[in-house]
Amino acid sequence: PPTEDTVTMTVTYAEYQPHVGDQDALKLTVAGAVQETGQVLAKELLVRLHTPELTLTLLGPAVVGEELPIQVVFQNPLPKALTGASLRMEGAGISCPKPLAL
């Protein structure tokens, strides 16, 4: 009677990575049963994964009619190398997204 226990469980990136896909969330479900009564308990939790930020920096003056060099910084938080990554730039005066393969 009125006691409380805490159980800690670690979910590694290797375990959840194959199931995340393009989504940035995990849905966790915990279930348990009370042997004496047969009562089943369950709880769900939606965990939003934090996506890293892009930092944009102008590397020169912005002059109409001239090229504008921009530095984009992104830090990969994952324990493995990214493959097939690309950036797309859009803006006023750019007729279609300008892709850059990384």
Side-chain angles (χ1 to χ4, degrees):
T3 61
E4 182 178 297
D5 282 337
T6 300
V7 177
T8 302
M9 196 177 233
T10 300
V11 181
T12 66
Y13 174 71
E15 291 174 306
Y16 72 77
Q17 183 271 332
H19 308 286
V20 174
D22 292 338
Q23 299 185 23
D24 60 353
L26 296 174
K27 185 176 182 181
L28 305 174
T29 304
V30 176
V34 179
Q35 289 180 346
E36 293 81 5
T37 64
Q39 182 182 14
V40 176
L41 308 163
K43 181 76 175 181
E44 288 186 350
L45 175 65
L46 183 64
V47 178
R48 307 279 307 163
L49 300 173
H50 294 283
T51 54
E53 292 186 23
L54 293 174
T55 302
L56 305 174
T57 305
L58 296 180
L59 297 179
V63 178
V64 174
E66 293 187 15
E67 289 186 0
L68 176 60
I70 300 172
Q71 178 186 47
V72 180
V73 177
F74 166 81
Q75 183 175 359
N76 178 9
L78 303 175
K80 64 185 225 178
L82 294 176
T83 58
S86 66
L87 294 173
R88 292 185 186 272
M89 182 176 63
E90 296 183 35
I94 299 174
S95 60
C96 62
K98 189 174 185 175
L100 174 66
L102 303 176

